[in-house]
Amino acid sequence: MTGMITRSCVAAVAIGLIGGSVVDCGETIPEPERRGEFVVLRGDFHTHTRLGDGFLSPIEIVLAARREGLHVLGVTEHNTVYPSFIARWVSERFGGPIVLTGAEITNRRFHILALGITEDVDWRLSADAMVKAIHAQGGVAIIAHPARKYWGHLGSAITTLDGAEVMHPVAFRGETPNRWRWVDFAAFWERARAAGNPMAAIGNSDFHVFKS
């Protein structure tokens, strides 16, 4: 063996055991790709943890993202920002990706990803009020998997959302049992653009268990 085991590495092992995994202190994230004047970061803005309905702990999801070479990770548990704080704390200390704190604000009418927030947003709000609450915290609001059944509940939020989750694992599976269809996700984005909202088209994994 060469080198010395640092205190941070020892702490990482201890934390990893509590979280269900051991930190590999030898892993590093590759340098971002440069395309002309732009720096291109690999990222995933929609992931879930064991503190909600996911499989991995907040610690393990950071390690998985690092193994995948991601530079940016959004940890978006349902209706709570707390798991993303844990993930960010671990990632900052043990060489992981940039973790965006946030949540997937979820109700029966629609799901909105709130990235960059530090306080929970009331899931009972209307879509328009929810986007305003996210923006008030300096956050970004992205409509998650915008299935057609959500459209009628969004109201004027279609003009204020910052992005739409256009690429999603549903694209590889066709229609789901709950009638999500990928073509509707793309159609929503096109509808918002036609309404004058130059929203970003986002691709995410919606990670819960293993690779999507």
Side-chain angles (χ1 to χ4, degrees):
M1 294 179 61
T2 59
M4 298 179 63
I5 298 177
T6 64
R7 289 183 179 179
S8 63
C9 188
V10 171
V13 171
I15 293 171
L17 288 172
I18 294 171
S21 181
V22 176
V23 174
D24 181 352
C25 294
E27 293 179 346
T28 58
I29 298 174
E31 288 294 317
E33 181 182 350
R34 292 185 176 273
R35 297 183 183 177
E37 61 182 303
F38 297 102
V39 177
V40 181
L41 303 180
R42 295 186 63 199
D44 189 346
F45 299 142
H46 188 177
T47 63
H48 295 275
T49 75
R50 190 182 301 159
L51 298 186
D53 59 352
F55 180 74
L56 300 181
S57 71
I59 298 167
E60 291 169 320
I61 205 163
V62 167
L63 302 183
R66 189 169 70 175
R67 285 193 295 271
E68 291 294 320
L70 298 187
H71 303 105
V72 183
L73 177 68
V75 178
T76 51
E77 201 49 77
H78 295 286
N79 297 331
T80 176
V81 74
Y82 178 69
S84 66
F85 291 156
I86 301 173
R88 183 177 65 177
W89 187 92
V90 170
S91 200
E92 287 176 347
R93 283 154 180 80
F94 306 118
I98 299 167
V99 172
L100 303 178
T101 57
E104 180 180 6
I105 308 171
T106 305
N107 56 49
R108 293 183 178 181
R109 295 166 292 146
F110 50 79
H111 298 188
I112 292 179
L113 300 173
L115 296 171
I117 63 170
T118 56
E119 297 179 3
D120 291 343
V121 173
D122 189 346
W123 59 269
R124 295 165 294 187
L125 294 174
S126 68
D128 184 57
M130 191 176 292
V131 172
K132 288 178 180 177
I134 294 167
H135 288 166
Q137 292 192 45
V140 172
I142 299 169
I143 183 71
H145 39 69
R148 191 171 292 269
K149 68 179 183 179
Y150 297 151
W151 293 10
H153 300 288
L154 293 174
S156 61
I158 193 171
T159 64
T160 57
L161 285 160
D162 301 296
E165 196 171 61
V166 172
M167 195 60 189
H168 183 278
V170 167
F172 304 103
R173 298 199 295 264
E175 186 171 330
T176 66
N178 58 359
R179 302 190 69 180
W180 289 1
R181 298 190 311 155
W182 173 72
V183 292
D184 292 338
F185 299 2
F188 175 82
W189 178 75
E190 292 173 351
R191 184 183 181 199
R193 302 270 292 187
N197 182 351
M199 64 167 54
I202 307 294
N204 288 323
S205 72
D206 194 0
F207 178 87
H208 285 77
V209 180
F210 307 119
K211 286 189 177 182
S212 300

